Amino acid sequence: MSPAVVLVGMFLVLAFTGVPIAFCLAVASVVTTWYMGFPAVVVAQRIATGLQSFPLIAIPLFVLAGSIMAKGGVARRIVDFAYIIVGPFRGGLAMVNCIQSMLFGGVSGSAIADISSTGPIMIPMMKQKGYDNEFATALTVASATQGIIIPPSHNMIIYAMAAGGVSVGQLFLAGYIPGIMIGIGLMITSFIIAVKRGYPREKRPPLNDCVRISVDGILAVLAAVIIVGGIAFGIFTATEASAIAVVYATFLGLFVYKELKLRDLWPILVESVKTISTVLFLIASASAFAWLLTRLQVPTMIMRSMLSITSSPIILLLLINILLVILGMLMDVAPLIVITTPILLPVVTAAGMSPVTFGIVLLLNLGIGLTTPPVGTGLFVGCSVGHTTVEKTSRAMVAFWPAMIIVLLLTTFIPALTTFLPSLIVK
């Protein structure tokens, strides 16, 4: 039996029996190395090597910064800021949900952080104004996917490493236009549904309140400007930017908004460590798995197989998108990035797609996967926050998938959407 069959087969068997993905990857790697006659220490070495990267330090720091912002009042102020911008339109609260995800995603870099932080604010508020609970929950989950597209995104850092050194600054800039397009697409969908169902408009606050809310909101969004601008213009690296994000978030929470107390920092650190440990273990296990895939020439075999199906770049890219959406429905974002990047990157580059564009296309696909059963993490977190079921929310989610898929296809076949900003700023 081929070692590649053992590796993939063992992974699938463990995954379908409910074993956590990180353990599936690690156990499948150990069993395969044993089957090939290699010592098991090889896997341990590859796991350790997978974490020996300076840019990886940015991931725990960005996670910590997002947690501090969520607890320090940033989320609520971004919601209030979005309320001023789009509240007066028909279905204004639905649009507020989209805008705040766009802004908070650009600060926290995490879809799950967005759902967990702003979901408890937005969903009850929308229900109180007459919105259906399932609609509010589905929109919260769908709009939160902007968090992995609009920088700073720790998933972009994972992709940059898996792709062999793609510029993090270019990836950050490349995510802006597709991320904003998702927000606009969801806002248009929300407006259509709001008109059909008669959802209300909202009143804009008095001028004095608008000014105060705008100042607080701009201070919160300024974090993203500092981080991305500093990286794009070469002022500091992504790792240094993540440390600055932590300091800035702590300063806002403690001294500006004054909703964060010193005693709150320890629970935030503990919770962040739990999240970081999970992410890093996934990355480490996936690194060993991906190393074996490469050694067994699985990427080469898949590339040849896909190129033998069709010579049309359009059909090839459509097939890859379909594959990624399906995989996103079954696995979490981080391990999929590490596993699929070395396999599919040679295929898409052969079809004429740049590594930067593929990174955004990959994240768009996996973002859609976050909103789908059976393993969509964002969907499950949203249902927990909204106190509803996956079945009901999935039915409501159907209305938002077309907008997300349209943005995915436009990004796939119009490279300028991802290359314009990087070519303009990063030299």
Side-chain angles (χ1 to χ4, degrees), residues 111-116 119 123 133-145 328-333 366-401 404:
I112 304 304
D114 186 359
I115 298 170
S116 303
I123 295 175
N133 186 33
E134 287 70 34
F135 170 82
T137 303
L139 179 59
T140 300
V141 174
S143 62
T145 60
M329 296 168 63
L330 302 174
M331 286 179 63
D332 205 0
V333 175
L366 302 186
I368 294 173
L370 285 174
T371 70
T372 60
V375 192
T377 312
L379 182 63
F380 286 118
V381 174
C383 291
S384 175
V385 172
H387 304 290
T388 184
T389 64
V390 171
E391 293 79 11
K392 291 180 179 179
T393 305
S394 296
R395 285 195 292 270
M397 191 73 69
V398 172
F400 300 110
W401 285 330
M404 302 174 76

Coordinates of all heavy atoms in Angstrom, one line a residue, residues 111-116 119 123 133-145 328-333 366-401 404:
A111 N -12.8 36.2 12.7 CA -14.2 36.1 12.5 C -14.9 35.7 13.8 O -15.9 36.2 14.2 CB -14.5 35.1 11.4
I112 N -14.2 34.7 14.5 CA -14.8 34.2 15.8 C -14.8 35.3 16.8 O -15.8 35.4 17.6 CB -14.0 33.0 16.3 CG1 -14.0 31.9 15.2 CG2 -14.6 32.4 17.5 CD1 -15.3 31.5 14.7
A113 N -13.8 36.1 16.9 CA -13.7 37.2 17.9 C -14.9 38.2 17.6 O -15.5 38.8 18.5 CB -12.4 37.9 17.8
D114 N -15.1 38.5 16.3 CA -16.2 39.4 15.9 C -17.5 38.8 16.4 O -18.3 39.6 17.0 CB -16.2 39.5 14.4 CG -17.2 40.6 13.9 OD1 -17.8 41.2 14.7 OD2 -17.2 40.8 12.7
I115 N -17.8 37.6 16.1 CA -19.1 37.0 16.5 C -19.2 37.0 18.0 O -20.3 37.4 18.5 CB -19.2 35.5 15.9 CG1 -19.2 35.5 14.4 CG2 -20.5 34.9 16.4 CD1 -19.1 34.1 13.8
S116 N -18.2 36.6 18.7 CA -18.3 36.5 20.1 C -18.4 37.9 20.8 O -19.0 38.0 21.9 CB -17.0 35.8 20.7 OG -16.9 34.5 20.1
G119 N -21.6 40.0 18.5 CA -22.9 39.2 18.4 C -23.8 39.5 19.6 O -25.0 39.7 19.4
I123 N -27.2 41.0 18.0 CA -28.4 40.1 17.8 C -29.5 40.5 18.7 O -30.7 40.6 18.2 CB -27.9 38.6 18.0 CG1 -26.9 38.2 16.9 CG2 -29.1 37.7 18.0 CD1 -26.3 36.9 17.1
N133 N -34.8 36.3 14.6 CA -33.6 35.9 15.3 C -32.7 35.2 14.4 O -31.4 35.4 14.4 CB -34.0 35.0 16.5 CG -32.8 34.6 17.3 OD1 -31.9 35.4 17.5 ND2 -32.8 33.4 17.9
E134 N -33.2 34.3 13.5 CA -32.3 33.5 12.6 C -31.7 34.4 11.6 O -30.5 34.2 11.2 CB -33.1 32.4 11.9 CG -33.5 31.3 12.8 CD -34.6 31.6 13.8 OE1 -35.4 32.5 13.5 OE2 -34.5 31.1 15.0
F135 N -32.4 35.4 11.1 CA -31.8 36.4 10.2 C -30.7 37.2 10.8 O -29.6 37.3 10.2 CB -32.9 37.4 9.7 CG -32.4 38.5 8.9 CD1 -32.1 38.4 7.5 CD2 -32.2 39.8 9.5 CE1 -31.6 39.5 6.8 CE2 -31.7 40.8 8.8 CZ -31.4 40.7 7.4
A136 N -30.9 37.7 12.0 CA -29.9 38.4 12.8 C -28.7 37.6 13.0 O -27.5 38.0 12.8 CB -30.4 38.9 14.1
T137 N -28.9 36.3 13.4 CA -27.7 35.4 13.7 C -27.0 35.1 12.4 O -25.7 35.1 12.4 CB -28.2 34.1 14.3 OG1 -29.0 34.4 15.5 CG2 -27.1 33.2 14.7
A138 N -27.7 34.8 11.3 CA -27.1 34.4 10.1 C -26.2 35.6 9.5 O -25.1 35.4 9.0 CB -28.1 34.0 9.0
L139 N -26.8 36.8 9.6 CA -26.1 38.0 9.1 C -24.8 38.2 9.9 O -23.8 38.6 9.4 CB -27.0 39.2 9.2 CG -26.4 40.5 8.7 CD1 -25.9 40.4 7.3 CD2 -27.4 41.7 8.8
T140 N -24.9 38.0 11.2 CA -23.8 38.2 12.1 C -22.7 37.3 11.7 O -21.5 37.6 11.7 CB -24.2 38.0 13.6 OG1 -25.2 38.9 14.0 CG2 -23.0 38.2 14.5
V141 N -23.0 36.0 11.5 CA -22.0 35.0 11.1 C -21.4 35.3 9.7 O -20.2 35.3 9.5 CB -22.6 33.6 11.1 CG1 -21.7 32.6 10.5 CG2 -23.1 33.2 12.5
A142 N -22.3 35.6 8.7 CA -21.8 35.9 7.4 C -20.9 37.1 7.4 O -19.8 37.1 6.7 CB -23.0 36.1 6.5
S143 N -21.3 38.2 8.0 CA -20.5 39.4 8.0 C -19.2 39.3 8.7 O -18.2 40.0 8.4 CB -21.3 40.6 8.5 OG -21.6 40.4 9.9
A144 N -19.2 38.4 9.7 CA -17.9 38.2 10.5 C -16.8 37.6 9.7 O -15.6 37.7 10.1 CB -18.2 37.3 11.7
T145 N -17.1 37.0 8.6 CA -16.1 36.4 7.7 C -15.1 37.5 7.2 O -14.0 37.1 6.7 CB -16.7 35.6 6.6 OG1 -17.5 36.4 5.7 CG2 -17.5 34.4 7.1
G328 N -13.7 23.5 3.3 CA -14.0 24.5 4.3 C -15.2 24.1 5.1 O -15.3 24.5 6.3
M329 N -16.1 23.3 4.5 CA -17.3 22.8 5.3 C -16.9 21.7 6.3 O -17.7 21.4 7.2 CB -18.3 22.3 4.3 CG -18.9 23.3 3.3 SD -19.8 22.6 2.0 CE -21.2 21.8 2.9
L330 N -15.7 21.1 6.1 CA -15.4 19.9 6.9 C -14.2 20.1 7.9 O -14.1 19.4 8.8 CB -14.9 18.8 5.9 CG -16.0 18.3 4.9 CD1 -15.4 17.3 3.9 CD2 -17.2 17.8 5.6
M331 N -13.4 21.2 7.6 CA -12.3 21.4 8.5 C -12.2 22.9 8.9 O -12.8 23.8 8.2 CB -11.0 21.0 7.8 CG -10.8 19.5 7.8 SD -9.2 19.0 6.9 CE -8.0 19.8 8.1
D332 N -11.3 23.2 9.9 CA -11.1 24.6 10.3 C -10.1 25.3 9.4 O -9.4 24.6 8.6 CB -10.7 24.6 11.8 CG -11.0 25.9 12.5 OD1 -11.6 26.8 11.8 OD2 -10.6 26.0 13.6
V333 N -10.0 26.6 9.6 CA -9.3 27.4 8.6 C -7.8 27.1 8.7 O -7.1 26.9 7.7 CB -9.6 28.9 8.9 CG1 -8.7 29.8 8.0 CG2 -11.1 29.2 8.6
L366 N -12.5 29.6 2.5 CA -12.6 29.1 3.9 C -13.5 29.9 4.7 O -14.1 29.4 5.7 CB -11.2 29.0 4.5 CG -10.2 28.1 3.7 CD1 -8.9 28.0 4.4 CD2 -10.7 26.8 3.4
G367 N -13.6 31.2 4.4 CA -14.6 32.1 5.1 C -16.0 31.6 4.8 O -16.9 31.5 5.8
I368 N -16.3 31.2 3.6 CA -17.7 30.6 3.3 C -17.8 29.3 4.1 O -18.9 29.1 4.7 CB -17.8 30.4 1.8 CG1 -17.8 31.7 1.0 CG2 -19.1 29.6 1.5 CD1 -17.8 31.5 -0.5
G369 N -16.8 28.5 4.2 CA -16.8 27.3 5.0 C -17.2 27.6 6.5 O -17.8 26.7 7.1
L370 N -16.8 28.7 7.0 CA -17.1 29.0 8.4 C -18.6 29.2 8.7 O -19.0 29.1 9.8 CB -16.4 30.3 8.8 CG -14.9 30.3 9.1 CD1 -14.4 31.7 9.3 CD2 -14.5 29.4 10.3
T371 N -19.3 29.5 7.6 CA -20.8 29.7 7.7 C -21.6 28.5 7.4 O -22.8 28.6 7.4 CB -21.2 30.9 6.8 OG1 -21.1 30.4 5.4 CG2 -20.3 32.1 7.0
T372 N -21.0 27.4 7.1 CA -21.7 26.2 6.6 C -21.6 25.0 7.6 O -20.6 24.8 8.2 CB -21.2 25.8 5.2 OG1 -19.8 25.4 5.4 CG2 -21.3 26.9 4.2
P373 N -22.7 24.2 7.6 CA -22.6 22.9 8.4 C -21.8 22.0 7.5 O -21.6 22.2 6.3 CB -24.1 22.5 8.5 CG -24.8 23.2 7.4 CD -24.1 24.5 7.1
P374 N -21.2 20.9 8.0 CA -21.4 20.4 9.4 C -20.4 20.9 10.4 O -20.5 20.7 11.6 CB -21.2 18.9 9.2 CG -20.3 18.7 8.1 CD -20.5 19.9 7.2
V375 N -19.3 21.6 9.9 CA -18.2 21.9 10.9 C -17.9 23.4 10.9 O -16.8 23.8 11.3 CB -16.9 21.1 10.5 CG1 -15.9 21.2 11.6 CG2 -17.2 19.6 10.3
G376 N -18.8 24.3 10.4 CA -18.5 25.7 10.3 C -18.5 26.3 11.7 O -19.5 26.4 12.4
T377 N -17.2 26.6 12.1 CA -17.0 27.1 13.5 C -17.8 28.4 13.7 O -18.4 28.6 14.8 CB -15.5 27.4 13.7 OG1 -14.8 26.3 13.3 CG2 -15.3 27.7 15.2
G378 N -17.8 29.3 12.7 CA -18.5 30.6 12.9 C -20.0 30.3 13.1 O -20.7 31.0 13.9
L379 N -20.6 29.4 12.3 CA -22.0 29.0 12.4 C -22.3 28.6 13.8 O -23.3 29.0 14.4 CB -22.3 28.0 11.4 CG -23.8 27.5 11.3 CD1 -24.7 28.7 10.9 CD2 -23.9 26.4 10.3
F380 N -21.5 27.7 14.4 CA -21.8 27.2 15.7 C -21.7 28.2 16.8 O -22.5 28.3 17.7 CB -20.8 26.0 16.0 CG -21.2 24.7 15.3 CD1 -20.2 24.2 14.4 CD2 -22.4 24.1 15.4 CE1 -20.5 23.0 13.7 CE2 -22.7 23.0 14.7 CZ -21.8 22.4 13.9
V381 N -20.7 29.1 16.7 CA -20.5 30.2 17.7 C -21.7 31.1 17.6 O -22.3 31.6 18.6 CB -19.2 30.9 17.5 CG1 -19.1 32.1 18.4 CG2 -18.0 30.0 17.7
G382 N -22.1 31.5 16.3 CA -23.2 32.3 16.1 C -24.5 31.8 16.7 O -25.3 32.5 17.3
C383 N -24.8 30.5 16.5 CA -26.0 29.9 17.0 C -25.9 29.9 18.6 O -27.0 30.1 19.2 CB -26.1 28.5 16.5 SG -26.5 28.4 14.8
S384 N -24.8 29.7 19.1 CA -24.6 29.8 20.6 C -25.0 31.2 21.1 O -25.7 31.4 22.1 CB -23.2 29.4 21.0 OG -23.1 29.5 22.4
V385 N -24.4 32.2 20.4 CA -24.7 33.6 20.9 C -26.1 34.0 20.6 O -26.7 34.7 21.4 CB -23.7 34.5 20.1 CG1 -24.1 36.0 20.3 CG2 -22.3 34.3 20.5
G386 N -26.7 33.5 19.5 CA -28.1 33.9 19.2 C -29.1 33.0 19.8 O -30.3 33.2 19.5
H387 N -28.7 32.0 20.5 CA -29.7 31.1 21.1 C -30.7 30.5 20.1 O -31.9 30.5 20.3 CB -30.4 31.8 22.3 CG -29.5 32.4 23.3 ND1 -28.8 31.6 24.2 CD2 -29.2 33.7 23.6 CE1 -28.1 32.4 25.0 NE2 -28.3 33.7 24.6
T388 N -30.1 29.9 19.1 CA -30.9 29.3 18.0 C -30.2 28.1 17.6 O -29.2 27.7 18.0 CB -31.2 30.3 16.9 OG1 -32.1 29.7 15.9 CG2 -29.9 30.7 16.2
T389 N -30.8 27.4 16.6 CA -30.3 26.1 16.1 C -29.5 26.3 14.8 O -29.8 27.2 14.1 CB -31.4 25.1 15.9 OG1 -32.3 25.5 14.9 CG2 -32.2 24.9 17.2
V390 N -28.6 25.3 14.6 CA -27.9 25.3 13.3 C -28.8 25.2 12.1 O -28.6 25.8 11.1 CB -26.8 24.2 13.4 CG1 -26.1 24.0 12.0 CG2 -25.8 24.4 14.4
E391 N -29.8 24.3 12.3 CA -30.7 24.1 11.1 C -31.5 25.4 10.7 O -31.5 25.7 9.5 CB -31.8 23.0 11.5 CG -31.2 21.6 11.7 CD -30.5 21.4 13.1 OE1 -30.7 22.3 13.9 OE2 -29.8 20.4 13.2
K392 N -32.0 26.1 11.7 CA -32.7 27.3 11.4 C -31.8 28.4 10.8 O -32.1 29.1 9.9 CB -33.4 27.8 12.6 CG -34.6 27.0 13.1 CD -35.2 27.6 14.4 CE -36.4 26.7 14.8 NZ -37.0 27.3 16.1
T393 N -30.6 28.5 11.4 CA -29.7 29.6 11.0 C -29.2 29.2 9.6 O -29.0 30.1 8.8 CB -28.5 29.7 12.0 OG1 -29.1 29.9 13.3 CG2 -27.6 30.8 11.6
S394 N -28.9 28.0 9.3 CA -28.5 27.6 8.0 C -29.5 27.9 6.9 O -29.1 28.3 5.8 CB -28.2 26.0 8.0 OG -27.1 25.7 8.8
R395 N -30.7 27.7 7.2 CA -31.8 28.1 6.2 C -31.7 29.6 6.0 O -31.9 30.1 4.8 CB -33.2 27.7 6.7 CG -33.4 26.2 6.6 CD -34.9 25.9 6.7 NE -35.4 26.1 8.0 CZ -35.4 25.2 9.0 NH1 -34.9 24.0 8.8 NH2 -35.8 25.5 10.2
A396 N -31.5 30.4 7.0 CA -31.5 31.9 6.9 C -30.2 32.3 6.1 O -30.1 33.3 5.4 CB -31.5 32.6 8.2
M397 N -29.1 31.5 6.3 CA -27.8 31.8 5.7 C -27.8 31.7 4.2 O -27.0 32.3 3.5 CB -26.8 30.8 6.3 CG -25.3 31.2 6.0 SD -24.7 32.6 6.9 CE -24.7 31.9 8.5
V398 N -28.8 30.9 3.7 CA -28.8 30.7 2.2 C -29.0 32.0 1.5 O -28.4 32.2 0.4 CB -30.0 29.7 1.9 CG1 -30.3 29.7 0.4 CG2 -29.8 28.3 2.4
A399 N -29.6 33.0 2.1 CA -29.8 34.3 1.4 C -28.5 35.0 1.2 O -28.4 35.9 0.3 CB -30.8 35.1 2.2
F400 N -27.5 34.7 2.1 CA -26.3 35.5 2.1 C -25.2 34.8 1.3 O -24.2 35.5 0.9 CB -25.8 35.8 3.5 CG -26.8 36.5 4.3 CD1 -27.5 35.9 5.4 CD2 -27.0 37.9 4.1 CE1 -28.4 36.6 6.1 CE2 -27.9 38.6 4.8 CZ -28.6 38.0 5.8
W401 N -25.3 33.5 1.0 CA -24.2 32.8 0.3 C -24.0 33.4 -1.2 O -22.9 33.5 -1.6 CB -24.5 31.3 0.2 CG -24.2 30.7 1.5 CD1 -23.3 31.1 2.5 CD2 -24.8 29.5 2.1 NE1 -23.3 30.2 3.6 CE2 -24.2 29.3 3.4 CE3 -25.8 28.7 1.7 CZ2 -24.6 28.2 4.2 CZ3 -26.2 27.6 2.5 CH2 -25.6 27.4 3.7
M404 N -21.6 36.2 -1.2 CA -20.2 35.8 -0.9 C -19.6 35.1 -2.1 O -18.4 35.2 -2.4 CB -20.3 34.9 0.3 CG -20.9 35.6 1.6 SD -21.0 34.6 3.0 CE -19.4 34.5 3.6

